[in-house]
């Protein structure tokens, strides 16, 4: 049953997408759901280990250093650093693929459909950042302001996993909105990481990085059929180019995960031979998302989420007395929904857009509450903001975990009854379709 807006009216927000788009997004949502479950498991394991008498062994493992010097770049990093810089590059490669697909064939391809998630994403970044800045500004030290970007990120896998459990009957358009919003949110976070957290830019390494990037692009563009047919080829040919790119980007001073995003954008979305079918970007996404969701992200979460909640160290300070804690929690729990809801409302106020007749502002509120689940990128930004040795970093991790948990609970409490409502709508429409089919049968019998 398709609802079209009246003549002369504007676009309906959160109206039902095409069948093809629903299938594509549904496949992504299922994969992100599995990844979110494994992510949560990795984080819980770290929390348990870090709060047992064996906690010292956890931190010793996380801080253990190893690595060579390659091309003049010192790669003697801690395991936690390797997880954040190297393993997350795989996650950001998948993010780059998804971003490019959204720009080429997805919701971001059309300015009208892109306006809603893009506007909402910017609102969902701006308001939490302002809240954190306001709370941190009350402190005497300006150092705390470095964490302004921590509560701005939404964790795709975590949020989608929660939505899959408690909102299976919600309109597909709302779930697509959350996914697209989180993708745009990641793009903004990528820009912030690349610009704000680059202290010293070494142009020589940046120039060297262009060599493997160009080779990667040419091979992906003109040998796409070969890489699509032979799965081993990407591991043997493209992976070494990706590693070299990562090393040079790391040496340039830009956060090395940006290398993953750049390479993701180098992969063609559409088939280069002009035939129908999925392009190399979607092929790579199918192959490498299990690696990212099942291994890379959980390992990163394991080494990033471990924090001793009750510490006997007098230098750690009181987490509840740290403005960083409250700036992050309030930013995630309140700032995210206020920013997303407010910007979406303003879009409907100053344009001809309106909500689809089957959707409600209350449905959107529940989704925006889940957008307050900030985890993967928030943990990364907190490390970049304060460093591993800062007590503010430990407090930021507690705040991210607390704020994400509160956002998940509030979102679940709000959406569960609404999910029941949409189940009832689906059942009613199913009965209507069955009923509408009866006259056709009778008419066929009469004709015979």
């Amino acid at each position: 049953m398709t609802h079209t807006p009246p003549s002369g009216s504007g676009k309906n927000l959160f109206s039902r997408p095409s069948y093809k788009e629903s299938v594509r997004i549904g496949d992504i949502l299922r994969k992100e759901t599995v990844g979110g479950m494994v992510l949560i498991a990795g984080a819980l394991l770290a929390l348990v280990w870090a709060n047992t008498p064996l906690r010292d062994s956890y931190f010793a493992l996380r801080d253990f250093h190893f690595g060579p010097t390659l091309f003049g770049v010192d790669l003697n990093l801690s395991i936690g650093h390797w997880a954040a810089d190297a393993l997350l590059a795989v996650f950001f490669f998948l993010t780059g693929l998804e971003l490019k697909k959204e720009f080429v064939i997805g919701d971001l391809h059309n300015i009208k459909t892109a306006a809603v998630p893009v506007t909402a994403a910017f609102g969902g970044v701006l308001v939490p950042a302002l809240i954190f800045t306001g709370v941190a500004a009350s402190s005497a030290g300006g150092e705390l302001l470095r964490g302004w970007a921590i509560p701005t990120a939404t964790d795709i896998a975590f949020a989608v996993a929660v939505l899959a459990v408690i909102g299976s009957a919600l309109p597909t358009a709302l779930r697509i909105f959350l996914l697209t919003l989180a993708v745009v949110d990641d793009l903004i976070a990528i820009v912030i990481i690349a610009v704000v957290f680059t202290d010293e830019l070494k142009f020589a390494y940046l120039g060297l990085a262009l060599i493997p990037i160009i080779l990667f692009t040419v091979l992906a563009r003109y040998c796409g059929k070969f890489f699509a047919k032979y799965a081993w080829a990407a591991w043997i040919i493209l992976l070494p180019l990706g590693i070299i790119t990562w090393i040079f980007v790391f040496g340039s001073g830009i956060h090395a995960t940006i290398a993953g995003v750049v390479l993701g954008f180098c992969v063609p979305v559409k088939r280069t031979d002009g035939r129908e079918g999925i392009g190399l970007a979607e092929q790579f996404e199918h192959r490498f998302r299990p690696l990212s969701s099942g291994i890379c992200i959980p390992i990163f979460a394991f080494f990033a989420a471990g924090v001793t909640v009750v510490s006997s160290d007098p230098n750690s300070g009181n987490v509840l007395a740290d403005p960083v804690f409250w700036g992050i929690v309030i930013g995630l729990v309140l700032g995210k929904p206020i920013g997303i809801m407010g910007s979406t409302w303003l879009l409907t106020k100053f344009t001809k857009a309106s909500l689809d007749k089957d959707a409600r502002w209350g449905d959107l509120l529940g989704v925006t509450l889940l957008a307050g689940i900030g985890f993967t990128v928030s943990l990364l930004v907190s490390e970049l903001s304060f460093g591993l040795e800062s007590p503010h970093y430990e407090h930021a991790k507690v705040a991210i975990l607390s704020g994400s948990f509160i956002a998940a609970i509030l979102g679940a409490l709000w959406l569960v009854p609404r999910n029941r409502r949409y189940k009832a709508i689906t059942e009613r429409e199913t009965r209507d379709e069955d009923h509408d089919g009866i006259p056709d049968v009778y008419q066929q019998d009469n004709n015979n």
Side-chain angles (χ1 to χ4, degrees):
M1 187 180 296
T2 304
H3 301 286
T4 56
S7 177
S9 68
K11 174 179 173 58
N12 278 11
L13 303 185
F14 313 119
S15 57
R16 300 181 186 185
S18 66
Y19 175 76
K20 182 178 179 181
E21 181 70 359
S22 296
V23 171
R24 187 180 76 85
I25 295 297
D27 185 49
I28 296 173
L29 290 172
R30 283 190 296 274
K31 293 176 181 176
E32 292 289 1
T33 300
V34 175
M37 298 298 184
V38 182
L39 166 68
I40 294 170
L44 288 176
L45 178 60
L47 280 172
V48 171
W49 191 350
N51 288 277
T52 65
L54 299 175
R55 65 174 68 94
D56 290 341
S57 61
Y58 169 83
F59 293 109
L61 177 63
R62 185 197 68 181
D63 299 333
F64 178 78
H65 281 65
F66 72 96
T69 297
L70 297 173
F71 306 109
V73 180
D74 183 11
L75 298 175
N76 184 25
L77 310 174
S78 68
I79 293 180
H81 200 166
W82 277 110
D85 281 29
L87 293 183
L88 272 194
V90 180
F91 164 77
F92 277 103
F93 175 73
L94 270 297
T95 301
L97 290 177
E98 185 56 40
L99 276 169
K100 187 172 182 180
K101 287 201 314 182
E102 287 293 332
F103 282 121
V104 175
I105 61 174
D107 281 352
L108 300 182
H109 173 67
N110 187 307
I111 295 178
K112 292 182 179 180
T113 56
V116 181
V118 170
T119 302
F122 273 98
V125 168
L126 179 61
V127 175
L130 291 175
I131 288 176
F132 182 93
T133 302
V135 173
S138 63
S139 176
E143 174 197 4
L144 303 189
L145 294 176
R146 286 180 57 84
W148 65 269
I150 298 174
T152 62
T154 295
D155 190 285
I156 300 178
F158 205 155
V160 168
V162 175
L163 185 62
V165 173
I166 54 94
S168 59
L170 289 175
T172 302
L174 283 173
R175 289 183 283 171
I176 291 177
F177 171 73
L178 177 61
L179 180 65
T180 310
L181 168 73
V183 169
V184 178
D185 194 288
D186 278 346
L187 176 60
I188 298 172
I190 289 165
V191 174
I192 292 173
I193 291 171
V195 175
V196 177
F197 297 107
T198 300
D199 296 326
E200 181 183 357
L201 190 60
K202 298 178 181 178
F203 289 99
Y205 280 115
L206 204 58
L208 288 172
L210 292 177
I211 299 173
I213 289 173
I214 292 173
L215 286 174
F216 187 100
T217 304
V218 171
L219 289 171
R221 175 69 177 81
Y222 293 102
C223 303
K225 187 176 180 180
F226 175 73
F227 291 115
K229 184 176 181 180
Y230 300 104
W232 56 265
W235 296 97
I236 301 299
I237 301 173
L238 296 182
L239 178 60
L241 292 174
I243 293 174
I244 295 172
T245 303
W246 181 89
I247 293 172
F248 286 145
V249 172
F250 183 91
S252 72
I254 298 176
H255 197 268
T257 53
I258 302 301
V261 181
V262 173
L263 293 176
F265 270 95
C266 294
V267 181
V269 172
K270 297 180 179 179
R271 289 182 60 136
T272 55
D273 57 8
R275 296 180 180 179
E276 291 292 327
I278 62 176
L280 189 60
E282 193 162 347
Q283 289 270 8
F284 279 1
E285 185 181 0
H286 286 311
R287 291 179 192 170
F288 301 131
R289 189 171 292 280
L291 173 65
S292 173
S293 301
I295 298 176
C296 297
I297 297 302
I299 291 177
F300 165 76
F302 173 75
F303 286 110
V307 58
T308 303
V309 178
V310 180
S311 176
S312 59
D313 184 1
N315 296 322
S316 65
N318 183 0
V319 62
L320 297 179
D322 191 345
V324 167
F325 175 85
W326 293 108
I328 293 173
V329 171
I330 297 173
L332 290 174
V333 176
L334 295 181
K336 273 290 184 180
I338 290 174
I340 296 171
M341 288 285 290
S343 57
T344 305
W345 181 82
L346 287 174
L347 188 67
T348 62
K349 189 71 174 177
F350 294 102
T351 67
K352 294 181 179 180
S354 60
L355 288 185
D356 186 77
K357 64 183 296 184
D358 273 347
R360 301 289 184 272
W361 282 105
D363 304 330
L364 180 60
L365 175 59
V367 173
T368 62
L369 287 170
L370 294 184
I373 300 176
F375 198 81
T376 305
V377 179
S378 292
L379 287 172
L380 174 61
V381 173
S382 65
E383 178 186 331
L384 296 174
S385 300
F386 300 118
L388 293 174
E389 303 301 324
S390 171
H392 296 304
Y393 172 56
E394 297 297 315
H395 298 167
K397 288 199 291 185
V398 175
I400 292 168
L401 296 171
S402 302
S404 299
F405 179 75
I406 294 171
I409 294 299
L410 290 178
L413 291 174
W414 188 264
L415 287 176
V416 165
R418 293 181 174 272
N419 190 60
R420 296 195 194 102
R421 169 178 171 266
Y422 281 103
K423 279 186 178 179
I425 291 176
T426 302
E427 291 173 358
R428 185 186 68 225
E429 289 183 343
T430 302
R431 289 195 300 268
D432 290 344
E433 289 173 0
D434 292 341
H435 179 73
D436 291 342
I438 293 175
D440 296 333
V441 176
Y442 283 137
Q443 183 66 39
Q444 184 180 12
D445 290 340
N446 291 334
N447 290 337
N448 291 336

